[in-house]
Amino acid sequence: MPARTQAPEQTPEPAPEQQTTPERKQPPEQRPTTGPQQGSWKPPARRPTPPEAPTDSGPAGAAGEADSDAPGGPDRTMTGRQRLIAGLWPPRLTRAQLIVALLLFILGLGLAIQVRSTSDSSALRGARQEDLVRILDELDNRSQRLTDEQHRLESQKAELENSSDQAEEARKQTVEKEQQLGVLAGTAAAQGPGITLTIDDASHSVEADKLLDTIQELRAAGAEAIQVNDVRVVANTYFSDVRGGVEVDGKRVAPPYRFKVIGKPEDLEPALNIPGGVVQTLEKEQAKVSVTRQQKIVVDALREAKRPDYARSSSQ
């Protein structure tokens, strides 16, 4: 049998590659996603923050540590009051600030001293109008008396210089001076215009200090000679309380107290009757007070002239 010949196997030709069109890119929001996270958004991972340095203890430090853990940092969570405290404490003083503080302290101390001295010198601002008028009148009267005394001494000096008999003129002036000093010392009687002051104290409520205030007020008003009952008042006169009355220079005087005062009546009476003065003070003590002007007052109570033990005239 003839041998069979087998046709060689034809290998299929490879099919021509299909031309593919490039896939059109879709927007990210339209691009499909696959996997379990489809349709969800994942936030970016936080970076670990380095640990902060420890802060000072106290309310501000504790608040700062608590706020550092919160998101946003301490600057976003601290209140205005906490920021103020953190900025002021602990204080950070420089040398210039210390110098400025010292200068301000010295300036404030000087202003305080000046204000205090000004307030002390203006003590009459709170006085009443009647008191101011009285004080002004007393100052005018004293100034007038000093001026008169100056003129009198100048006239005496001129008489001594111009007199032909200077020895006789000097003796005459010496006698006049002795009489004046005798009136002031209480060793010579005196007379002249003035007032009489009567204090009727039936309840014995007027004490020695009230009578002493009366004497001081009369002297300030220009009294030149004063007599209380039968006791002459001089520079060293003192008052003391005793049962049923008052002692003047160790001599007992009982109410009613009668004052004989020589001086200018127009100055003496208003000085006693000013609001809040001697008369009103004595009337508050349930005493009856009367003041009378007179053209002739006789002060005849005398004091014994005592020779001083230690004092001597500087002209010797």
Side-chain angles (χ1 to χ4, degrees):
M1 288 176 67
R4 289 182 171 179
T5 58
Q6 190 175 356
E9 295 180 0
Q10 296 180 358
T11 57
E13 294 180 1
E17 295 181 359
Q18 297 180 357
Q19 296 181 357
T20 59
T21 60
E23 186 180 359
R24 183 177 296 175
K25 296 183 179 180
Q26 296 180 358
E29 63 271 6
Q30 296 180 358
R31 180 178 297 176
T33 57
T34 60
Q37 297 180 353
Q38 183 176 1
S40 63
W41 176 82
K42 183 179 181 181
R46 291 180 55 189
R47 294 182 179 179
T49 58
E52 296 182 357
T55 58
D56 296 338
S57 60
E65 293 176 1
D67 294 340
S68 63
D69 297 337
D75 294 336
R76 296 184 180 179
T77 58
M78 291 180 63
T79 63
R81 184 176 181 181
Q82 292 174 345
R83 293 194 189 99
L84 179 61
I85 294 176
L88 295 179
W89 189 262
R92 299 176 179 86
L93 298 178
T94 62
R95 183 176 182 182
Q97 292 175 345
L98 291 175
I99 295 175
V100 172
L102 180 61
L103 293 177
L104 291 176
F105 174 76
I106 296 174
L107 179 61
L109 181 62
L111 291 176
I113 295 174
Q114 184 178 3
V115 170
R116 183 175 181 180
S117 62
T118 303
S119 60
D120 293 341
S121 62
S122 59
L124 296 178
R125 291 182 180 178
R128 296 172 298 179
Q129 183 177 3
E130 296 82 0
D131 297 338
L132 294 175
V133 172
R134 178 181 60 84
I135 294 173
L136 183 60
D137 292 339
E138 292 178 358
L139 292 176
D140 292 340
N141 294 332
R142 292 178 183 177
S143 178
Q144 185 62 37
R145 289 196 299 269
L146 292 175
T147 303
D148 296 341
E149 181 69 15
Q150 180 182 2
H151 293 336
R152 186 181 62 81
L153 293 176
E154 290 177 354
S155 62
Q156 290 180 358
K157 179 182 178 181
E159 291 177 358
L160 287 174
E161 292 176 351
N162 301 327
S163 176
S164 57
D165 192 354
Q166 295 183 359
E168 181 64 21
E169 186 66 25
R171 187 191 64 80
K172 180 180 178 181
Q173 293 184 8
T174 302
V175 172
E176 293 179 356
K177 192 65 174 181
E178 181 183 1
Q179 294 176 354
Q180 294 175 3
L181 294 177
V183 171
L184 297 177
T187 58
Q191 64 178 10
I195 63 170
T196 58
L197 171 65
T198 303
I199 303 174
D200 190 0
D201 182 25
S203 60
H204 299 282
S205 59
V206 177
E207 298 179 351
D209 58 341
K210 299 297 188 300
L211 299 180
L212 181 60
D213 292 341
T214 303
I215 295 296
Q216 298 294 348
E217 192 68 29
L218 291 171
R219 285 175 173 170
E224 298 177 353
I226 304 174
Q227 177 178 334
V228 180
N229 289 8
D230 55 350
V231 179
R232 185 71 170 268
V233 177
V234 292
N236 59 349
T237 297
Y238 66 91
F239 291 78
S240 59
D241 292 316
V242 294
R243 181 178 298 179
V246 176
E247 283 188 355
V248 182
D249 290 340
K251 188 174 182 179
R252 181 186 180 90
V253 294
Y257 306 109
R258 296 182 177 86
F259 288 72
K260 295 180 179 180
V261 186
I262 296 177
K264 188 177 181 180
E266 292 79 6
D267 297 336
L268 297 175
E269 183 181 5
L272 298 177
N273 290 321
I274 62 174
V278 173
V279 174
Q280 289 190 0
T281 302
L282 293 174
E283 289 177 349
K284 290 180 181 179
E285 302 292 337
Q286 307 301 323
K288 296 180 180 180
V289 184
S290 62
V291 182
T292 306
R293 297 185 184 184
Q294 294 185 6
Q295 294 299 322
K296 184 178 181 180
I297 299 291
V298 178
V299 176
D300 53 1
L302 303 179
R303 299 290 295 267
E304 181 182 359
K306 296 182 179 180
R307 182 180 179 86
D309 297 330
Y310 303 99
R312 295 291 184 270
S313 176
S314 59
S315 60
Q316 293 181 359

